[in-house]
Amino acid sequence: MAELAVPPGIRGRLGNGASGNMGNGDGSPYTPSPASHINKALFGLLMFIGSEIMVFSGMVSSFLILRAGTTTWPPVDQPRLPVAVTGINTLFLLLSGVAMYMAVRSIKRGQSGSLLKWLSGTVALGATFLGIQGFEWFKLVGFGMTFSSSVYGGIFYVLIGFHALHVFGAMLGLLVVVARTSAKKYTKYDCNGVMMCAAYWFFVVGVWPVIYALVYLA
Amino acid sequence: MSEHGNGHAEPTSFLRKYVFSIDHKVIGKQYLFLSLFMALFGGLMAYYMRWQLAWPETAIPGAGWIPEPMAFGGIIPPEFYNALITLHGTIMVFFVGMPLLLGALGNYLVPLMIGADDMAFPRLNMMSFWTITTASLVLMASFFVEGGAASAGWTGYAPLSADPIHTGVGWGLNLWIMALALEFTSFLMGGINFLTTVVTMRVPGMTMFRLPLMVWMQITAAVLFMLSVGPLIAGAILLLLDRTVGTGFFIPERGGDPLLWQHLFWFFGHPEVYVVLLPGLGAIMEILPVFTRRPIFGYKTIVYSTIVAGALSFLVWAHHMFVSGIDPQIVMPFSITTILISVPFAVIIFAFMASLWGGSIRFTTPMLFAIGTIVTFIIGGVTGIFNGSAPVDIFIHDTYFVVAHFHFTLFPDVFLGGFAALYFWFPKMFGKMMNETLGKVHFWWTTITFNMVFIPMFLIGAGGHMRRIYNPLQYDFLKPMQDINIFITWSAVALLVGQLVFIFNFFWSMYRGKKAEDNPWEATTLEWAAAPTPPPHGNFETVPTVYHGPYEYSCPGQETDWQPQHVEKGSVAA
């Protein structure tokens, strides 16, 4: 197995590029490990997303338990949530997920021009989502719904804010990927950054409909 | 994305080699020293608490240095006592148990055992160590802020923890929450690293069922930790907001629910005890085959039992809350799952016993500690069934019976198991053998005094002695048991003093011990059989190929009674 010569292109396709394998580091022959084709960074990120899903589960459970323990939800003196606007906003976020999917498809086909286009679309839709969220928060605060006005307001801002923070963080990563895309850093075989960014974006998009349904609709 | 575990150059500067090292072996040792250092604090706190319980409100010898208002001339006030119980628990679980068993043993052993040259993400590994070091500093600093250190118990129950008016502790508890958050971040990084390393960096031939059991225990613990810690992180955020911006998630007057904290805490807390337990058992699983000269009994059974126990551990958390006022209808299901979870652990313990059966046992210090772990852990496990059955728990809840129970599980695991592991892997880590005679003295002294401390606690617990009380003499019905309290305290002093034997042996052997061979115990796993002692940067001179399982001892027709994993049967061992 030691003399197995792997061309650079194929190695890249196997995942982590030339460095992802059990190399000896001293130029001795390349020795494949049983699972060396698994992309380390992406695998690590998926593990991280798994733990993040559990943080969200904890928050959603807290929301459900606090709501179950209150006789009138929302409390009479607190504003109702903007269901329709946020519903439209949900569509924007879901569309950004579609744009991200198209971005991944583009780079898989080696079309880096189209990658940049779709990534920019994702950024625009993500920013729209955050903008509308922020605007709605302003209005809610104006109606007297704050962190400490009630448990209703507190858990709303914690849960929705925690998600918004994740969207914001994912946007920062996304902007780095956009910059690297315009600098032509990604190819069909070396697009780890795009894949990781996409995985995280799908996570923040995927968790939102659950939150929307539980907080706004139910 | 340039982080990968292969071929990073050997560092030459002191700082990069010993301080900000990215070598998993150095990081493992850093974790080891951190945990032993924190254990000194945890032990010292135990001593202060025990003295207070035996001779309440008298000046404690060796506490005169503690500044006011923590103590007054060696006499500790109730507030400081509460801080001691809180920090003793927090330190022993999060800053001794986890860094020792996961941080030190996991970091040092996992790459060596799977044949890798380092972890998958060496820089992340370094960051995880420095994060927990920061966490330790934050935790210790909390003693010195206005209002003192956290004093709501290691479980931080709300509303005691949610509003400073209850304990008078302000920033101390905020810092406690932040220290825990940093600690969780550190072990999240570690867990991701362990899993990625084991999944992607095994050498050829190292299939999942040829992994040494220690590796299985480490990755199961990593998965349990990563899946359980999320809800507590959510809870910690909510608790910190309650304390700082005036929300009321856990405060009933403001519409909150104090039970919510307990749910979030114990959803993490119960899997967490297995996170600490499994690597300790993993060390036993490595030690038993080496010193019985036969394969471990039921390798796959142990793996499957561990996974079943891990899955079940997510369904038992409310057994900590039987007297908290939860719906009685959910008490029974949790009672059942709790008693059910003893089945996979009983299977593992029986596998240990069967592994001893018919072996040619070598009674070395690590083996003694391994057997000691099993024997004492059985007492801890069996008493857990009492706690798990709701009707009994209603009586013994929050008594010293519970204190005795969890010390009988965690002490054997963290300390006896940890000592077994240290005596066993010390030669590989430091290139020297530890002194056997001192090791045996240490074993007998520790095991006997440990039992003298905690067996009487079952008695006083059954007699109704509450835990977390400052002065037992305030209660008439506890006065007849005060002699037992005094006996426990003397035993605890003996237990703590006995550890000096270990500390001496540890440092003396590091410098003056007999030089260790590559494979002094005649073991089969890669870290012993394939790596030099101590392993160089990059661990292996050539990448080993694995031909069979980890515990091939006493195979018929072979020259030696151990068959290293990287040596094909039939060929002569190198």
Side-chain angles (χ1 to χ4, degrees), chain B residues 23-25 108 111-112 115-118 530-532 534-541:
Chain B
D23 185 326
H24 73 99
K25 299 184 291 297
Y108 195 88
L112 279 167
D117 59 354
D118 207 319
H537 183 80
N539 294 345
F540 300 94
E541 273 144 17

Side-chain angles (χ1 to χ4, degrees), chain B residues 208-209 211-221 299 303 307:
Chain B
M208 287 307 274
F209 282 119
L211 287 174
L213 282 166
M214 179 63 152
V215 180
W216 267 109
M217 297 301 126
Q218 290 283 352
I219 56 173
T220 316
Y299 177 103
V303 171
I307 294 171

Side-chain angles (χ1 to χ4, degrees), chain A residues 1 16 19-25 31-36 38-41 43-45 47-48 50-51 54-55 58-59 61-62 65-66 70 147-148 150-151 154-155 158 162 192-193 196, chain B residues 1 3-7 115-117 120-121 188 192 195-196 199-206 226-227 230-231 233-234 237-238 241 245-249 254-257 260 263-264 267 543:
Chain A
M1 277 167 105
N16 221 12
S19 58
N21 303 304
M22 260 303 300
N24 308 338
T31 330
S33 103
S36 59
I38 295 176
N39 181 328
K40 279 183 202 167
F43 182 84
L45 181 72
M47 298 291 104
F48 178 66
S51 1
M54 290 307 291
V55 184
M59 286 201 171
S61 310
S62 306
I65 290 175
L66 288 172
T70 311
F147 246 124
S148 48
S150 64
V151 164
I155 194 72
V158 168
F162 193 64
N192 215 3
M196 289 178 65
Chain B
M1 261 137 278
E3 277 185 10
H4 47 79
N6 9 66
D117 59 354
F121 309 113
L188 263 182
I192 290 169
L195 276 169
T196 313
V199 168
T200 63
M201 292 178 69
R202 285 167 287 129
V203 282
M206 182 62 90
M226 287 162 61
L227 292 181
I233 291 177
I237 294 172
L238 299 182
L241 290 172
V245 304
T247 54
F249 300 118
R254 296 189 219 154
D257 182 0
L260 173 60
H263 282 296
L264 295 172
F267 182 82
V543 174

